[in-house]
Amino acid sequence: MVQERLAELLKKKGIGPEGSKSLIAEELNELKNLFKSPDVSLTTVATMVTALLTLEPNNHEREWIEKVKAAPSEFLPNEIVPFFSGDTRDDFYKLILKVIKHEDLSQEEAESGIEQLFNIQTPEYLKGAFLESQRLKRETFIENKAFFSGLWNKAERVKTDLPVIVDIADSYDGFNRTSNFSLFTAALLASLDIPCIVHSIDKVAPKEGYTSHQLLKLAGKNPLISVFQAQQALENKSIGFCYLDQQIFFNDLFLLKRMRKEMVKRPFLATFEKLLQPIQSTQGNYLVSGYTHPHYKEEVVKQLKEQGECKMALIFKGLEGSTQLTLSRGSTAIFYDGNEINESLVSPEDFGLPLLESKQDKSIKPEDVLSEGIAALKGNKNYAREAIIYQAAVIITKFNLVQHKDLIAVLKEKLDSGEALNRWNLLNI
């Protein structure tokens, strides 16, 4: 229970510069016992301390911080004392203390930081503190460039001569209040001979929502095929799409799952892990992703442009920050055509589709999402069908992948004929 209580307080305090709430005196008084408890994760302690030192304190917090500075060993485990004393010879620790002071890192320092995240000798509590300090300070473009590059270089990746790959890059921590049909959209795109890749993980913090991995497992399919097997499926004209799991193509990042749960906060890892193109066209992928916070609307696409590894990119203000577009109104779309970045609105009405109320359900179950998605592939005229057709139509139109005077009719025919279902049935078996 003590771990849960500390995590609860961290969720309150460590949200971020804009959404953070201050702790009251009674909550601060709890911290001494929580920090010293053997049943509490050092990662959670370090992350809470980082939040308290990085974010602007209220009067109660300022008084508490001064008390701890005067006698840190009375309040903190020995490993955490240097956060207040500054007494450490560890270079990674020094980087964290620098960021806590709102000092930006050089590219070289940021590259050193990303290396430490994957150093098995580095304590996880320092990894959590580094990620938290960066997110609360707000990563600079230079820092993010180094972080993105560091992750890119460590992930396994294969190249294919396929001239087009649509890469659907949803957040790996999943969904807990909306239906996500990206796997079924991928099957529909494949039925038009547009190769498509979806990638994710079984479950990861902070949301720990359902993912494409879970949907595949529920469908009796294997979400843990090799990179080579996924490439074969993608290049197979009878299938034309694939799912690839982080555990397979980036196991070192997968192994940080526990640390990410115990730090509670969403780190920059979540921003970039979905952009790593584990199967990449030699010409660069057509990457589709989403965002939630306005800052990352521009940051993500500018990083992709700077990196130069995708052919084009489409970033949506989708449901739960995903590529899944709402059917109830227009959505912001940021389009990178390989040269320029432009912002526009997309709407179901652009394609002659009706506006429908978007489903928001905190009790949503992946079994229901799977059932509805498969029903749509079978020609059932349900909500999933409209969502899949709309998402596919926007992707095809923005990337100019299919030339047809009645694209919606073509998409409907691919569902009604069972061709998209045939692709689904052959996936990851």
Side-chain angles (χ1 to χ4, degrees):
M1 291 298 291
V2 288
Q3 172 64 23
E4 288 77 6
R5 177 55 178 161
L6 184 55
E8 182 183 346
L9 292 175
L10 180 53
K11 286 178 183 177
K12 176 181 179 181
K13 179 61 188 174
I15 295 172
E18 290 82 19
S20 182
K21 298 178 181 177
S22 299
L23 299 184
I24 61 175
E26 290 80 0
E27 291 168 333
L28 291 163
N29 289 336
E30 288 184 67
L31 292 182
K32 183 175 182 179
N33 290 332
L34 291 173
F35 284 173
K36 286 284 194 174
S37 171
D39 299 320
V40 160
S41 160
L42 270 180
T43 300
T44 314
V45 174
T47 310
M48 172 61 94
V49 166
T50 300
L52 286 164
L53 292 174
T54 306
L55 296 171
E56 184 66 29
N58 66 6
N59 289 335
H60 291 301
E61 290 169 340
R62 192 173 289 106
E63 290 174 7
W64 182 87
I65 289 169
E66 291 305 315
K67 284 181 184 178
V68 178
K69 282 182 178 178
S73 59
E74 289 184 19
F75 291 82
L76 305 167
N78 291 335
E79 297 90 338
I80 308 298
V81 167
F83 278 92
F84 287 85
S85 68
D87 185 15
T88 179
R89 296 181 180 179
D90 185 281
D91 288 338
F92 191 42
Y93 222 134
K94 290 177 182 178
L95 277 187
I96 295 165
L97 297 179
K98 179 176 181 177
V99 178
I100 286 174
K101 294 176 184 176
H102 291 260
E103 297 177 20
D104 298 331
L105 301 183
S106 67
Q107 182 162 330
E108 184 179 45
E109 289 172 325
E111 289 170 352
S112 172
I114 199 78
E115 286 296 324
Q116 289 300 320
L117 288 180
F118 296 100
N119 184 341
I120 60 173
Q121 303 300 323
T122 301
E124 290 203 338
Y125 68 88
L126 288 183
K127 297 177 183 181
F130 178 73
L131 293 168
E132 174 78 344
S133 64
Q134 278 291 337
R135 182 47 51 105
L136 295 183
K137 174 185 75 69
R138 181 62 51 86
E139 307 92 344
T140 65
F141 188 85
I142 294 297
E143 289 169 340
N144 271 335
K145 180 181 175 182
F147 300 150
F148 189 12
S149 177
L151 294 173
W152 179 270
N153 292 334
K154 290 181 181 298
E156 182 180 351
R157 185 174 301 100
V158 294
K159 299 272 191 174
T160 174
D161 289 330
L162 288 170
V164 172
I165 297 177
V166 170
D167 188 322
I168 299 181
D170 284 320
S171 295
Y172 283 16
D173 65 345
F175 304 86
N176 55 25
R177 62 182 186 276
T178 58
S179 296
N180 179 267
F181 301 113
S182 290
L183 278 171
F184 309 103
T185 301
L188 179 55
L189 291 171
S191 73
L192 274 80
D193 298 320
I194 301 171
C196 189
I197 178 173
V198 178
H199 40 93
S200 188
I201 197 171
D202 56 347
K203 184 171 70 172
V204 72
K207 277 165 61 176
E208 295 192 317
Y210 77 86
T211 62
S212 293
H213 174 117
Q214 293 180 27
L215 294 179
L216 288 173
K217 200 167 182 181
L218 285 168
K221 298 177 182 290
N222 178 14
L224 296 177
I225 64 171
S226 69
V227 175
F228 176 69
Q229 288 172 310
Q231 182 182 2
Q232 283 187 311
L234 193 65
E235 294 175 346
N236 186 327
K237 292 185 179 297
S238 297
I239 306 173
F241 80 114
C242 67
Y243 170 84
L244 194 51
D245 201 86
Q246 186 187 77
Q247 185 175 352
I248 301 300
F249 75 87
F250 200 166
N251 189 248
D252 286 349
L253 182 51
F254 176 81
L255 293 175
L256 295 179
K257 278 175 58 177
R258 187 186 71 176
M259 181 273 294
R260 292 172 67 172
K261 180 177 178 64
E262 292 177 351
M263 72 167 286
V264 179
K265 176 68 181 172
R266 182 188 302 276
F268 64 71
L269 299 176
T271 302
F272 296 117
E273 65 188 346
K274 61 187 178 180
L275 306 177
L276 299 180
Q277 302 181 62
I279 302 178
Q280 186 186 31
S281 166
T282 52
Q283 299 180 32
N285 291 357
Y286 293 78
L287 197 145
V288 188
S289 195
Y291 73 93
T292 300
H293 301 293
H295 171 75
Y296 297 101
K297 173 179 73 172
E298 295 185 359
E299 182 72 13
V300 168
V301 74
K302 286 180 178 179
Q303 288 289 343
L304 289 170
K305 181 179 181 180
E306 175 76 12
Q307 184 202 35
E309 288 285 352
C310 67
K311 186 176 182 68
M312 296 185 188
L314 188 54
I315 312 297
F316 294 131
K317 180 73 162 72
L319 296 168
E320 292 193 65
S322 74
T323 63
Q324 192 72 59
L325 296 166
T326 178
L327 293 172
S328 64
R329 62 184 183 280
S331 300
T332 300
I334 314 299
F335 181 53
Y336 167 57
D337 65 4
N339 294 298
E340 302 296 328
I341 297 171
N342 295 292
E343 179 177 333
S344 64
L345 280 180
V346 294
S347 170
E349 294 176 310
D350 298 340
F351 302 93
L353 297 171
L355 295 179
L356 298 174
E357 183 180 354
S358 289
K359 296 181 179 181
Q360 297 279 328
D361 183 0
K362 291 184 178 179
S363 62
I364 193 167
K365 295 179 180 178
E367 292 87 350
D368 297 333
V369 178
L370 177 65
S371 175
E372 191 172 2
I374 291 176
L377 296 185
K378 290 179 176 178
N380 191 312
K381 293 176 173 56
N382 58 8
Y383 180 88
R385 174 187 173 94
E386 298 298 318
I388 293 165
I389 288 173
Y390 176 39
Q391 186 180 21
V394 175
I395 291 170
I396 289 169
T397 303
K398 286 291 186 180
F399 290 142
N400 196 27
L401 297 174
V402 173
Q403 299 294 324
H404 200 283
K405 63 181 180 180
D406 195 345
L407 176 60
I408 297 300
V410 172
L411 293 170
K412 288 179 178 178
E413 190 276 330
K414 293 296 182 181
L415 292 174
D416 294 339
S417 68
E419 191 167 343
L421 179 65
N422 291 338
R423 309 278 179 148
W424 167 264
N425 287 337
L426 291 170
L427 178 69
N428 287 39
I429 56 176

